[in-house]
Amino acid sequence: MDLTNPLPLLNEAVAALKTPLTEEDRDDGWTDDLRREIQEEISLSRSALRRHGLSTARYLRPRLEEWLDKEGVRPGRLRSLVSEVQGCLETAARTT
């Protein structure tokens, strides 16, 4: 992953979260509402980075993992991707 450009990962996450949930995703605890809300949150971060540059990353406060924990989402395909997004944003914030 290129931390100098987290946009490809955010693009990937938004695209994955726009697709309908699989039965496995639902078994992991995802709902359509949660999927849309997380997708929207990642989209907002992506928009901020596109408009204002990577230095904006230090102002983003992703709490996606906490949110998924609170919702009881178990490990799986989407949770791994969302965790990767959060880690990428946190790393980008530290390096700018």
Side-chain angles (χ1 to χ4, degrees):
M1 171 182 12
D2 178 9
L3 295 179
T4 61
N5 185 11
L7 290 174
L9 178 60
L10 275 70
N11 290 338
E12 177 186 343
V14 168
L17 290 163
K18 282 185 176 182
T19 62
L21 294 172
T22 66
E23 191 62 38
E24 187 175 321
D25 297 329
R26 291 185 190 284
D27 290 345
D28 290 340
W30 286 88
T31 64
D32 288 325
D33 287 341
L34 179 62
R35 176 186 57 80
R36 279 189 292 272
E37 290 170 357
I38 295 287
Q39 183 265 323
E40 183 177 310
E41 196 69 26
I42 293 171
S43 289
L44 290 172
S45 295
R46 180 180 67 171
S47 293
L49 291 171
R50 278 186 180 155
R51 285 190 187 114
H52 306 291
L54 187 59
S55 62
T56 305
R58 74 182 122 201
Y59 300 106
L60 301 175
R61 298 289 182 255
R63 301 260 192 275
L64 304 172
E65 281 289 317
E66 290 176 27
W67 191 352
L68 296 179
D69 286 341
K70 187 183 269 189
E71 294 291 329
V73 175
R74 291 178 295 284
R77 168 184 81 92
L78 291 178
R79 175 126 192 192
S80 295
L81 184 57
V82 171
S83 295
E84 194 174 347
V85 165
Q86 180 169 322
C88 180
L89 291 173
E90 289 170 350
T91 302
R94 287 192 304 270
T95 59
T96 57

